[in-house]
Amino acid sequence: MTLTSVSRPAALYSYSFAPFYTSKSLYPSGPDFVKYLVDVAAKYQLEDKIQLNTDVSKLSWLDAEALWEITVDHLVPGTGDLSAVDRKTRTEVLGERSIYVSSEKFRAKVVVSCAGILVEPNDWPPDIPGRDVFRGEIFHSARWREDVNFKDKDVVVVGTGCSAAQVVPSLFEEPYEARSVTQLMRTPPWVMPRLEEPFGKANYARYAPTVLHYLPFLGYMYRISLYILVEIIWLTVFQQKNQKWRSKLESTTLARTYSLIPKEYHDMMTPKYSYGCKRRIFDNLWLQSMHRSNFLLTAQPMIRIEPNSIVLGSPPSPSRASTSTSTNIKANISGKIKEDCLPASIIVLANGFSATRFLHPLTVYGRSNISLHDVWRDRGAPQAYMGTAVHGFPNFFMLTGPNTANGHSSLITSSENTAGYIGRIIRPILSGEATVVEVKLDAETKWTQDVQSELQGTVFQNGGCRSWYQDADGVNSTMYP
């Protein structure tokens, strides 16, 4: 069974010049989507232009030559997917050669960063002790361990975001077959149903790929319909002023959630913030899986882990007292804090990413050897003109820079549009008509001010929640309004 799938329909989550209409399901599996990307690279002869097992560690602007000096580290095969924290840990234990083979420097007229937003997984929460004594495996869902045996194990999943909602139902099925799954939740999400395949999944998988291969205009019509739908939702539900529209959607969404989950979870699964403030979950399996006798959802905070268990503290509200009725829980009292101890063989972290740390851990030095991260710190938060260019860093552009993500449509589409925009900007440099292209500071500042002003009118910024869209100071450098 495939663990995860794409959270957007393939017709929407694919390139306009290479639409993915022939998937066997509306939401292709992870492996199927990877195959689609590989096929696109092969079709446009990009394979020999992609260098794997290579980490770009530093960019330095050479003003006299009007060139960028790029420092890359060649990695041991298989280590490229490790997070920055995991690489550091491994080098401390096994030495530099366990990760790095060699370093190299070269120069280029233009640098375009295609580093994504959800790249660096959040590490183990530093305020929770016991990781060093835990006898089982701990890993992030974004760095899945296929070598770990889940069969008849007690699994703890930390988080209730999009990844967790896909992971949990899969853990009960082959090849995982966990003995029990405990899911730790901090904030309940809004859960929407996925679109269902017309004529059923089996018939769609059997006939749709062939039909859409020979009649691609049907796929195009579906793609356009999806775009119109999500834009209507954006103009109505995601705007803070449209409380009436949003309230109706919230009511129907909650009613569906209540109809699919055990009654004991109703209070816990009721969001106390506006629809769309946090990233929504589109799923048809997670809510139903809560009825399993070997599943437990709890809002109790994890306070420490022990060799074969996790210890939870007092629930955030009396409404979650029902968690203590589980036969898997042994309650004890430590002072005034109630503690519940649950068995744990494996801990899966689905606790998100360092989304607001753009380009981390890459270092970029522009004019006068000024660090881009220092510039962003001085300006209060990451910012870039059109989400792509920063004053003081000529000929440097970002594909998914600050305020380029959206909460309703396809990031692939926005990235494709940005790539076209960057292509037009750098054309004079490549043709020799210009040496340097650099955005003016006042243009960048005005763009940022306008974006932040418009964000105030959306649920992203004023929907009554704190999300990974915002940094510790509440500044939203992630979403585009």
Side-chain angles (χ1 to χ4, degrees), residues 187 190 237-241 243 246 250 271-278 455-467 469-470 476:
T187 309
W190 288 101
V237 179
F238 280 81
Q239 303 305 308
Q240 185 65 24
K241 62 182 179 181
Q243 180 63 40
R246 192 163 50 255
E250 289 174 352
K272 303 300 191 294
Y273 56 89
S274 297
Y275 178 94
C277 185
K278 288 176 176 283
L455 276 171
Q456 298 303 316
T458 69
V459 291
F460 298 141
Q461 201 65 8
N462 287 302
C465 76
R466 288 297 300 270
S467 70
Y469 305 151
Q470 303 162 313
N476 190 331

Side-chain angles (χ1 to χ4, degrees), residues 29-322:
S29 67
D32 285 345
F33 190 70
V34 170
K35 183 179 183 304
Y36 159 74
L37 295 177
V38 171
D39 290 344
V40 171
K43 179 180 179 180
Y44 291 93
Q45 301 179 349
L46 300 175
E47 295 166 306
D48 62 343
K49 300 174 180 63
I50 300 173
Q51 185 169 314
L52 303 177
N53 297 312
T54 305
D55 181 50
V56 181
S57 58
K58 182 180 178 182
L59 302 173
S60 299
W61 174 251
L62 307 177
D63 211 25
E65 294 90 340
L67 294 172
W68 282 98
E69 182 178 77
I70 300 101
T71 302
V72 300
D73 296 321
H74 298 288
L75 309 176
V76 173
T79 62
D81 197 39
L82 294 176
S83 67
V85 172
D86 288 340
R87 290 184 192 176
K88 181 180 178 181
T89 301
R90 179 174 290 195
T91 55
E92 290 174 351
V93 175
L94 302 176
E96 293 282 334
R97 286 296 181 180
S98 65
I99 298 289
Y100 303 102
V101 176
S102 61
S103 295
E104 178 184 5
K105 292 183 179 181
F106 57 91
R107 296 180 179 183
K109 293 181 179 180
V110 177
V111 172
V112 179
S113 169
C114 298
I117 299 173
L118 306 182
V119 177
E120 286 294 318
N122 284 329
D123 197 23
W124 179 261
D127 58 335
I128 298 178
R131 181 172 186 173
D132 55 331
V133 301
F134 186 65
R135 293 174 183 168
E137 299 288 349
I138 301 177
F139 57 89
H140 198 280
S141 60
R143 301 295 186 268
W144 195 258
R145 293 275 304 278
E146 294 291 350
D147 61 318
V148 174
N149 179 17
F150 285 81
K151 188 174 178 61
D152 296 328
K153 300 291 180 63
D154 297 305
V155 182
V156 175
V157 177
V158 180
T160 50
C162 296
S163 297
Q166 293 191 52
V167 167
V168 167
S170 299
L171 293 176
F172 297 107
E173 309 293 340
E174 293 183 349
Y176 302 106
E177 300 179 293
R179 176 168 53 200
S180 71
V181 176
T182 299
Q183 189 168 16
L184 309 185
M185 179 174 72
R186 182 174 56 184
T187 309
W190 288 101
V191 185
M192 296 292 292
R194 287 190 171 192
L195 298 174
E196 295 283 357
E197 285 79 3
F199 311 110
K201 291 183 180 294
N203 286 329
Y204 187 91
R206 182 177 180 182
Y207 299 111
T210 301
V211 171
L212 294 174
H213 175 76
Y214 289 105
L215 300 174
F217 73 91
L218 294 177
Y220 177 76
M221 292 175 62
Y222 177 55
R223 179 184 177 97
I224 295 301
S225 299
L226 286 174
Y227 275 118
I228 293 174
L229 174 62
V230 298
E231 289 304 319
I232 291 175
I233 293 175
W234 165 253
L235 292 172
T236 54
V237 179
F238 280 81
Q239 303 305 308
Q240 185 65 24
K241 62 182 179 181
N242 295 329
Q243 180 63 40
K244 180 180 178 180
W245 289 92
R246 192 163 50 255
S247 294
K248 289 182 178 180
L249 182 57
E250 289 174 352
S251 296
T252 56
T253 302
L254 268 183
R256 173 183 177 271
T257 297
Y258 291 163
S259 71
L260 294 175
I261 65 176
K263 188 175 181 178
E264 64 180 286
Y265 293 141
H266 283 194
D267 287 345
M268 193 188 344
M269 282 292 292
T270 302
K272 303 300 191 294
Y273 56 89
S274 297
Y275 178 94
C277 185
K278 288 176 176 283
R279 189 179 183 188
R280 301 164 294 164
I281 292 177
F282 290 86
D283 190 81
N284 290 342
L285 297 175
W286 178 47
L287 298 181
Q288 293 89 323
S289 71
M290 294 184 185
H291 284 279
R292 288 181 174 269
S293 60
N294 55 346
F295 172 81
L296 174 68
L297 176 69
T298 177
Q300 293 176 253
M302 181 166 54
I303 57 177
R304 68 177 183 275
I305 58 175
E306 297 179 345
N308 300 299
S309 62
I310 62 170
V311 179
L312 306 180
S314 301
S317 67
S319 64
R320 192 51 207 131
S322 59

